[in-house]
Amino acid sequence: MNAARPPSAAQASSRRADAERNRDKILAAARSAFEESGSDVSMAEISRRAGVGMATVYRNFADRRALLDALYQGEVQVICDAGEDAQGDTPAARLEYWLRSFMTFALNKRPFAADLLAHVDGDETMFDTSRARVVASGRPLLIAAQHAQEVRGDLSLEQILDSVVAIAAIPGDARYRRPILATFLDGLRIPT
């Protein structure tokens, strides 16, 4: 009787790459489905859109909460990365770049955040931890802009973020909300 040989390093690496591609496809399909349909998307629909079987979906995400959590954490990571890579010629311009990225974050998380809240059973530690990460990524930008006397010093980052979230919640499309956000951002600047 022949004993099965263990997979070679190349085969194992190829399997890991396939698994990572499948995970990425599932996340992209889920993100798209939630954006289009809100929280009424089934795991079967996500499987269909990703082009993978249900077993593959559940191998990557044990349940709906795990999938929603992965989507949410992915969005949190994007905004944290934007804090490190903020672009602009001045501290105020870098803060504005990051706040515009935060607006996108607030809009992107909305389709699945309510569904995720329904699955956390009162345990909101994940949201508290994520908010702390977001605040930590933006605080140095605000401090730099305030020290340069380019933005007001009487608002905390939490107040600013709550204002951006409120603007993101205004009904309408991006064209409608864009000038509202611009007006708010102009109001943060200290007149020169």
Side-chain angles (χ1 to χ4, degrees), residues 58-191:
Y58 284 107
R59 192 170 25 258
N60 282 277
F61 305 100
D63 55 21
R64 186 175 184 85
R65 179 184 173 171
L67 175 61
L68 292 167
D69 183 48
L71 287 169
Y72 184 73
Q73 293 307 322
E75 295 297 327
V76 169
Q77 189 59 51
V78 167
I79 190 62
C80 290
D81 291 346
E84 292 179 18
D85 302 329
Q87 300 172 13
D89 295 335
T90 65
R94 288 187 287 279
L95 174 64
E96 183 174 319
Y97 172 89
W98 184 79
L99 289 171
R100 287 182 184 281
S101 298
F102 181 78
M103 174 77 159
T104 302
F105 165 74
L107 291 169
N108 286 349
K109 74 179 175 85
R110 191 171 17 174
F112 52 83
D115 198 15
L116 182 56
L117 270 171
H119 285 81
V120 294
D121 298 325
D123 176 21
E124 296 184 19
T125 350
M126 174 193 60
F127 291 110
D128 294 341
T129 302
S130 296
R131 182 168 172 95
R133 287 182 59 212
V134 169
V135 168
S137 75
R139 191 171 311 284
L141 298 169
L142 177 61
I143 289 170
Q146 287 173 334
H147 282 187
Q149 296 185 352
E150 295 174 345
V151 300
R152 300 166 52 146
D154 60 340
L155 291 172
S156 70
L157 184 59
E158 291 81 359
Q159 290 170 312
I160 293 168
L161 295 179
D162 287 343
S163 298
V164 174
V165 168
I167 293 168
I170 294 172
D173 63 9
R175 288 176 297 170
Y176 184 78
R177 286 186 295 263
R178 194 174 297 125
I180 299 169
L181 179 64
T183 301
F184 172 73
L185 294 175
D186 287 346
L188 289 178
R189 289 185 179 263
I190 295 174

